[in-house]
Each structure stands twice: as C-alpha cells, then as structure tokens.
Amino acid sequence: FAKRRLSPRRCLLLCRPCGLMRDLPRLIERLTAASVAAASGAKQGASGDALVAELLRHFLRVNGLDAADAHALQDVVSLAYALMVIYKELRLSVAPGPSLDALLGPEAAAAGSALGNRAAKSAGITAGAPPRG
C-alpha cells in the first residue's frame, strides 16, 4: 500500500467566531454546557450564553440561514466530529506542503502589503525616504 499523507493545499483566513467554531472539541464543550444548563434550568453564565448565541447567529448569517435553521449547526457539528474521528483512524502522516505565501495566495499578499503600507505611513516612513532616526 502507498503511504497515506496529509499536506496543506490552501490556507483560509478566519474571523474570530469562525476560528472559535474551528476548534471542534472546545465548541462541543461549549454547546454541551449550554444544553445541560438549559435542561437543568441552571444558568451557564452570561458570558457562556452570550458566546454560544453569538456563534449560532454568526453561523446562520455566514451560511445564509435564518433562525428556523438553527438545527443546522448541530448537524454540521455532528458531521465535523465524524470526519475528525475518520481522520484520526486514517493515521495520516504529515507531509510538507507549499510555502505559506503560496498557501495564502495573492489576495493575502496584497492585503499584507496594504497593511504594511498603512503601518509605514502611520510611522512616518515613505517609500524612497530613509527612515528617521
């Protein structure tokens, strides 16, 4: 058999709520705690309730869904967990992939360049001029 390998093909930049959802084990903990607290009538805590509500609203907005489709988050989490288990069972070895610049693509390079230009401008550095010092 050929050795199964895992290597990156692309890199996606995520906003904070998407990043929190990407941490699947922690997301499952948060959702479970909210569900248990709701079932027992206990308060999970204002920050925990607010975070779970924010994540749900963000998921619905990003996917073009409305409140009636809130169950879709549970379906997606279930599928993601199943995929996580399958990936663990495959025991893929990690292989080097393309450079980070190649993974991020030209859009990220342009965004990074624009960010660098704004930082330089705010620091009083202009193109072609020697740095002040």
Side-chain angles (χ1 to χ4, degrees):
F1 288 95
K3 189 171 186 172
R4 295 182 229 160
R5 299 173 0 150
L6 177 71
S7 67
R9 294 191 189 272
R10 65 182 176 155
C11 182
L12 301 175
L13 303 176
L14 300 175
C15 61
R16 180 183 175 274
C18 287
L20 292 173
M21 283 194 239
R22 181 80 171 88
D23 182 3
L24 187 61
R26 185 71 182 119
L27 176 63
I28 291 172
E29 287 176 14
R30 284 185 180 108
L31 295 174
T32 302
S35 179
V36 168
S40 67
K43 287 284 185 186
Q44 178 189 351
S47 64
D49 290 341
L51 181 60
V52 169
E54 175 192 347
L55 292 174
L56 176 59
R57 281 191 302 272
H58 184 74
F59 171 82
L60 294 172
R61 184 176 52 251
V62 166
N63 290 290
L65 303 172
D66 61 17
D69 299 315
H71 62 87
L73 178 60
Q74 182 177 353
D75 296 341
V76 168
V77 169
S78 296
L79 284 170
Y81 184 77
L83 282 171
M84 187 177 78
V85 170
I86 290 170
Y87 272 108
K88 280 185 180 180
E89 289 298 315
L90 287 174
R91 295 183 184 99
L92 301 172
S93 62
V94 178
S99 70
L100 186 58
D101 289 337
L103 285 173
L104 291 173
E107 306 86 33
S113 176
L115 180 62
N117 290 341
R118 278 186 298 222
K121 188 174 181 181
S122 68
I125 301 170
T126 58
R132 288 187 261 170

